[in-house]
Amino acid sequence: MFLFSACLPGAFVYAADVSHSLRVTLVPGEGKIQVEDTITLADGFSPDGFDLHGGLEVNATGARVQRTSSTQRNGVPLAHYRLGLEAGQRTFTLNYSGRIVHPVVNLARGAGPQQASTPGLVGREGVYLGPGSFWYPRLGEDDLDFQLEVVVPPGWSVVSQGKRIAPELVTGSGPFVWSEMRPQGGIYLVAGRFHRYRRQLGDIEALAYLRGDEPELARRYLDATVRYLPLFVELLGDYPYDKFAMVENFWETGYGMPSFTLLGPTVARLPFIPFTSFPHEILHNWWGNGVFVGNGGNWSEGLTAYLADHWLKERRGAGAEHRRAALQKYAEFVSAKRDFSLDEFKGRHDEASQAVGYNKVMMFFHMLRLRLGDETFIKGLRRFYREYRFRHAAYADIRTVFESVSGLDLEDIFEQWVRRVGAPAVQLKDADIKTTSAGFQLQLDIRQAQQSAAYRLRIPMAVWLQGSERPEVRYLDLNALQQSFELVYARRPLAVQLDPWFDVFRRLLPGELPPSLGQAFGAEQVTFVIPEKARRATRAAFQQLAERWSMSAEKVRIVSDADLDALPQSGAVWLLGWENQHLSTINTLLSAQGVRVAAKIIEVKGESLARTDRHVVLAAQAMGGQKSIIILLATDDAQAISVLA
Ligand SMILES: [Zn+2]
């Protein structure tokens, strides 16, 4: 028998496990939602129940539904229902209503960026409902498609994934209908008193939903959409959705959903966002929201960071600087105890997880590109996107695709960077020049200083030769903890540098790192020195700040300056307050940089600044054999300290 394929290549038919047809009424003032959901199950998908937000009352038509248990997940009350259907029955309807009100809370973890979040909220300031709130019945499906019709109060409008459909297009007001028939991981429902702005980009609608009438702000985002989206189309292939919308949220976020991004009011107004985070969120429609993350590690953040943030920098000649900063974050925040492998990364929750899940993954793709060459790398990306669009993909799938486009066995690079924890620390131990009859012989001793087995690395080395401005670049293959190399040059080598453009993922050496606050935040040993002579309110505020920041470090000591003869010689030392008796130490350290801090003034390179009402944070690396980093944090305003805490 000979079978012809039912589908033409390229006309792939997607079939999701579940189809929802939802009619929703929102009453934001009362926190209420009312839904009629007609559910159709795909052939072969036969769930025996579903989960729904526990605050909702359910009535079923065409199915037997029984509430069997209640639990909590991430702060959301969940009710589990058993579902009884007739043999062969694929469609039934659920009517449910109730309140979903989880106020936005700060999920601060230690020092560093604050993150606010809610699993779901129907409120006067706006509506945010994602899959995590279980606002629609979840049947254990891998994917779903939906049509969503929403009634909101006058003046409100609604955003979801997919395409806007009449009657909104005709009437300009509700009900609002969104439809997405390509497989999705979940359904988002966002509503608010939006002003809507639009522009057409071929078949794609570019939209901006703002909470005020700000055409200038909207223009910045629509311009950026029209500018970046076609760049990514050219690089990777068709945009997978019908629209892209920038939506202003009612708390601070930088979320990327399929076909829209939810930006907080402050974030949205930062002047650089349309050129940095915004293209990153657009690109997530290919990686993460186009190809979904499957089992194992989340590769989508690092790949998006590489092809948006890094690529846009690289186009302006700043790729090496971007990679150096990425490696610096890893060196500062990821101590051995906080490190983990790429296939364990799910999402960021602090600086350390971001330095691995974003920065190390970004460097992994950079190294993969250098190994394959640009043409093969881009061919691989395009094929990966084409073959896995609206499907789940894991690192193993990425490897399969890149092996097939390159014809290479890539097991070593995936094993070493995806499965293995840590980073090599590559040191140029010694360099010597001998004059021989063949020319100048450069002898190098290179060490891998990490506390684990040797990495296999192809590391670029730049050698500056007498009489030429540009360095000559050669590649060294490293595979042992100690290695010697001999290279011959026709002219005298003047200087040599390993990996000068930060092309290899590695732990930067202390000399490659400027002292910074990040290093202090990442330290495992932290000492806070409280000034005894300060006013009581100031002292109390510093004490509170020290206790609050202590949560992010392993070993913490909070001491009064009077009880301390000398500053600790390792870890991070926070000198708090102008009155601190150990202020002179930081003056000694900073004098080389031309900075002096005194009772009433700060001098920077000979210029005096009056210090009244000034908040100062200075970081200095201790000298000599000491490994500590010392930070002065001083202010005259006790209230400013509480803000930091
Ligand atoms: Zn991202």
Side-chain angles (χ1 to χ4, degrees), residues 280 284 301 358:
H280 176 108
H284 265 309
E301 287 301 346
Y358 286 59

